[in-house]
Amino acid sequence: MYEKHFGLNSRPFAARAEDTDVFVGPRQTETISRLGKGLQADDAVVTITGPVGVGKTTIVNRALASVSPDRTVIRIGRMPLGRDEVLLLLLAGCGSSQPPKGTIQQFAAFRRHLHEKTTAGSGITIVVEDAHRIGSDTLAEIETLTAADAGDDASASIVIMGQSPLYDLLGTPDLARLKQRNRLRQNIEALTTAEVLGYLKHSIHNVGGDFDAIFDDGVADIVFHCSEGIPRIINTLCETALAAAAENNTASISTALMQ
């Protein structure tokens, strides 16, 4: 692997970044702070949009960690769900390995979990990835199950992520209640030229490498041009270049190699 060739402790451009691995520039810091404030209320809904691969999940995770490290985070992925499946998924996220039979019993069990977490001050947040893919029925069901008026004062916050068409979906009559709970709309933009350079330096330094020794002058500009500032594409380009350089036994990434 290229890590040994360049004297790195691990892969600098892994697909999932956490804690100190996350690049946080001034814009990212401001966004994380804004999201953290938006999520402080137990019943808050926060909408995050941005291009595919821009790092929405990474920024949301960092914001959630700043709100409460003890918070239960339930993630709903990129697939439509039926009503019973939504409730079962929420129970599983709360740690229920053997949920009760019957919708009423399951609903009561989830509300108990919600009440316990709210009373303890830690709370529950439901993170919906690619929300425009799962459809309005699932989103409406999530809102119904987590609202404070669904049986008691306990409620869960919801983070809805997707691309810009998500706003059109939230404007439909079926999701009026969800839209009314929305406290913040935040768009995550691609990295600027300067931020791409900072991202590369941070990633290499974080695994014990010397950026100036590994990347020749001008390489960061090529990475920005090819990736348009999308971190997922940056990771793919740099991983490929590092592997190619190691295979060719070259000491650094030249502009010619990156091109």
Side-chain angles (χ1 to χ4, degrees), residues 41-45 110 114 118 124-126 146-147 154-158 181:
D42 290 332
D43 63 343
V45 172
F110 174 68
L114 197 54
T118 301
I124 293 175
T125 296
I126 300 167
T146 61
S155 57
S157 57
I158 305 172
R181 287 173 59 184

Side-chain angles (χ1 to χ4, degrees), residues 12 16-23 62 199 202-203 206-207:
R16 188 180 182 91
E18 296 178 348
D19 302 325
T20 58
D21 293 343
V22 179
F23 168 74
R62 191 69 179 260
Y199 179 83
H202 170 84
S203 299
N206 216 39
V207 294

Side-chain angles (χ1 to χ4, degrees), residues 2 19 28 34-35 47 51 134 179 215 257:
Y2 65 76
D19 302 325
Q28 290 74 31
R34 191 179 297 119
L35 291 178
T47 306
I134 71 172
K179 186 178 180 181
F215 288 92
L257 174 60

